[in-house]
Structures are given as C-alpha cells and as structure tokens.
Amino acid sequence: SRNQINTVKVDEFSLTLIPDTGMRLSIDVDLGITSAPSTTKEMQLSILADLHVEMNPEGNLELVPSTCKPTLEELQSTEEMDRSAPCTSSGSDVDKQINVEKICLEVSKLLLFPNERLMSLAAPFPITPSCQVRYVPLAAPMYSEQGIIISLQTTFQVAGTAIPLPVSPVPFSMPEPTSSSPSHLTLAFSEHFYTSLFFALDMDGAFNMTILSPLTTATLAEKITQVGSLFQEDLPVVLQATTRSSPHVVLEEGKAVLKLFLTAQIGAVSLVFQSFLSVNVDVSARLHISVTDTRMIISAAAIEDIELSLAASDVGPVLAASLEELFLPTIREELSTQINEVLRGGVYLPHIVSFTYTDVNVTIHK
C-alpha cells in the first residue's frame, strides 16, 4: 500500500522441533508505519510457519513450508496532538496496512539460502586426486524427541566411475544417544563404510608400493646362498607390493583395525626389475580416528601384527624365520608410512558450505 514502514524491529526469530512432523518457525516483528504525515502506527506482525524437509526430484534435501499463518495487529496509534490517544481498527483496516498474503511468499524466499546450502551436502568430496566420496540422502529426514535423523548412502568413485562395494552391508543403526551429551550433531559410520573406503583406495592403487630394502644381493646371499648365483654384480634389493585381496576394517569396542593382504615381489634392479622371491604379507594395523574442520583424519597408529609367508621362490626354500629377519623391519616401517601418506589428507565428512565441526568426540563401537 501507500503506507511507509519507518522502523522494523525483530523481537523473536525461533525454530523449534516438532516430533513426527517437522519444525516450526516463529517470527515476531514490530513495525512503525506512517500512513499520513501526522499519523504513526505501531503494529506487530507475527508469523507462524511449519516447515519440513523433503526430497526433491533431483534427489536433494529441500526445506519447504507446509503451513504459514501471518497475523497483524495494531499496538498503538499516535497523533501529533495526542500521542497517547487509543485507537482501534477493524481487521480489514489493519490488513490494508500490509498485504499479509505476500508475507508467506517472503517466508518461502527466506528458505532459498538454506536450500542452496543443503544442495551442497551431496557434492562429491576428494579423498585422493582420482578418488571421491559422496553422501547421498536416502529419504526425507525423520523427526523425534532426540532430534532430526537423516540416512545417507555413501558412494565412492575412482576416476569418475562408481565402484561396486566389496560386501553386502549388514543391518546398521545409530548407537543409543547419551542423555548427558551436549552434542548438537551425532554421526554414525558403519564398519561397512570403512571397509568400502579402503576398498576404493585399493581400487585407486593406493596400497601398491615400491620399497627399497637396505639389503643388496651380496648381503642377501649370505642368508640365501642361491641369490649369489643369479647376479654377477652387487645390486640393490627392492620389494614391489600389491594387494592380493580386498582390505577390510574390523570395529571392536574402542578399537578399529585395518587388515591388508599384500603380495610382495622381491627382486633386484639393474636395467629391469628381476624378481626371485614372492612373499605374502598379511597386516593388521590399528587405526586412530580424529576430526579436523570437516574431515575425518585416519592414521595407522600402530602395526599390530604382520605375517610373512613364502608364495614362490626361484632360489629354493626359505625359512619363515629368515624371511622375517631379512624383510620384516623394512616392511613394518614402510607400510605404516605408506598408509599414513595415503590418508593424510583425511576423508571429508557430510557437511554443507560454511559448516565446520568443533569439540569432537570419537567413540568406536563393535
């Protein structure tokens, strides 16, 4: 209308959770409205809007209003000659001051910004230059007394192609919340998530490595005599390790363990790599998990167990004790370094733009 709004004061702006339904947005605004040079009206605009989150056709979560009820009432009227004179207006007179039908449209516009943020939840996040993770909402959220529950499905891509997951996921549910916890947000990741993460990294070749041994063919021949007959000159000994089956992660109470299954070709390098031993290497590495900003930082805190067994030999039988004496220290050190190098960038957690995690507690359950 032709009225002029001189002052706007937001008295209340709150969002409350309604179990099994959604959220309620409540806004109270005091308005100073001039309808004539000598008349100023103080009015209160109250808006109650019920909101919920649904899945849009693109598969993104979207905040939408289900109901919107604006009300407008006059608080006082002031005249230049008598500022305390009471004034009453009918509902139709009040409605003429502001077009209340347009208020709900403005409430919908308020949701554009958070909806842009929600779309970023399903964006792909890099793990390595060619490996990515995405968190895709499975359905609209559920609302309970404890809060809002969102189920996400994790997908991993290697070189732009979604990879098949190595195992079928077992039933998974959120751990029981701690009533005394002050946390605003609880994230739960299944054992299957971690196994799939390391499977994706394995598909990306992250655990294929070349390890330079401190041994040479001459020093190795002191323990394995037939090595000396293979090489006329003293050459450096190199291990080329590749995974022979998919890695997996086991979660126990207070403990996460990565199990890697490698085959190491042991040989010498002159013009080309010449392998003369093949050794199976089974590794159990304890994982440490923390959170920085929006990333989960995973590192191999300790190599708990390594088993070496002879797979093939061009230099005759080799005792397991000799394999461990010759190669175990080098493999133990280099494996831990390699795992931590692969994981040092961290794995992005579900988040939206301008969002970060602070004061994080990590608890591991079986």
Side-chain angles (χ1 to χ4, degrees), residues 39-312:
T39 305
T40 300
K41 293 182 178 181
E42 295 293 330
M43 311 194 76
Q44 185 177 69
L45 172 65
S46 296
I47 304 168
L48 279 180
D50 287 342
L51 312 175
H52 65 278
V53 179
E54 62 184 31
M55 293 273 287
N56 64 21
E58 290 75 34
N60 293 314
L61 296 179
E62 187 174 9
L63 192 61
V64 296
S66 48
T67 62
C68 178
K69 298 177 181 177
T71 58
L72 190 67
E73 63 177 345
E74 185 174 339
L75 298 178
Q76 70 179 53
S77 176
T78 56
E79 298 288 337
E80 222 171 45
M81 299 299 295
D82 184 4
R83 296 183 180 277
S84 62
C87 177
T88 58
S89 299
S90 67
S92 60
D93 289 338
V94 172
D95 286 348
K96 289 177 183 177
Q97 312 302 320
I98 291 179
N99 188 339
V100 293
E101 292 181 359
K102 290 186 178 180
I103 294 299
C104 289
L105 179 60
E106 297 303 315
V107 171
S108 295
K109 289 180 181 177
L110 278 178
L111 305 181
L112 293 176
F113 183 71
N115 280 333
E116 287 178 2
R117 294 290 199 248
L118 279 174
M119 286 178 63
S120 69
L121 175 65
F125 302 116
I127 303 173
T128 67
S130 58
C131 184
Q132 295 179 325
V133 61
R134 288 186 69 198
Y135 302 101
V136 181
L138 285 175
M142 296 182 293
Y143 304 89
S144 70
E145 295 285 352
Q146 288 75 36
I148 303 170
I149 302 169
I150 303 176
S151 294
L152 303 172
Q153 184 178 58
T154 309
T155 60
F156 294 95
Q157 291 185 339
V158 176
T161 303
I163 65 165
L165 300 180
V167 293
S168 297
V170 295
F172 174 68
S173 60
M174 291 282 289
E176 287 296 320
T178 304
S179 58
S180 60
S181 172
S183 298
H184 296 145
L185 176 66
T186 301
L187 288 178
F189 292 91
S190 66
E191 187 177 86
H192 179 66
F193 168 87
Y194 291 99
T195 291
S196 299
L197 165 65
F198 281 93
F199 179 73
L201 292 171
D202 178 35
M203 293 285 289
D204 195 30
F207 303 113
N208 298 337
M209 64 196 86
T210 299
I211 301 171
L212 180 62
S213 168
L215 299 170
T216 65
T217 52
T219 55
L220 190 58
E222 296 173 6
K223 294 287 185 179
I224 307 173
T225 54
Q226 290 190 49
V227 172
S229 62
L230 291 178
F231 304 99
Q232 303 304 314
E233 55 182 323
D234 194 13
L235 299 172
V237 173
V238 172
L239 291 75
Q240 290 187 349
T242 57
T243 52
R244 71 176 191 275
S245 62
S246 300
H248 66 264
V249 174
V250 178
L251 299 184
E252 303 171 5
E253 284 300 312
K255 184 178 179 180
V257 177
L258 167 66
K259 294 185 179 292
L260 278 177
F261 308 98
L262 307 171
T263 296
Q265 302 293 334
I266 301 171
V269 177
S270 53
L271 294 177
V272 295
F273 176 75
Q274 183 180 343
S275 171
F276 51 82
L277 279 178
S278 180
V279 177
N280 290 333
V281 184
D282 294 348
V283 183
S284 292
R286 186 162 184 168
L287 300 177
H288 178 263
I289 300 172
S290 61
V291 173
T292 299
D293 190 21
T294 56
R295 292 172 298 156
M296 174 166 46
I297 308 300
I298 306 172
S299 60
I303 301 293
E304 292 195 332
D305 186 40
I306 297 183
E307 293 183 5
L308 303 184
S309 59
L310 188 64

Side-chain angles (χ1 to χ4, degrees), residues 330-352:
T330 300
I331 292 175
R332 179 185 293 274
E333 180 181 349
E334 291 297 326
L335 265 181
S336 182
T337 301
Q338 176 77 5
I339 293 170
N340 289 333
E341 178 64 22
V342 169
L343 297 171
R344 65 185 175 89
V347 179
Y348 280 97
L349 295 169
H351 70 279
I352 60 175

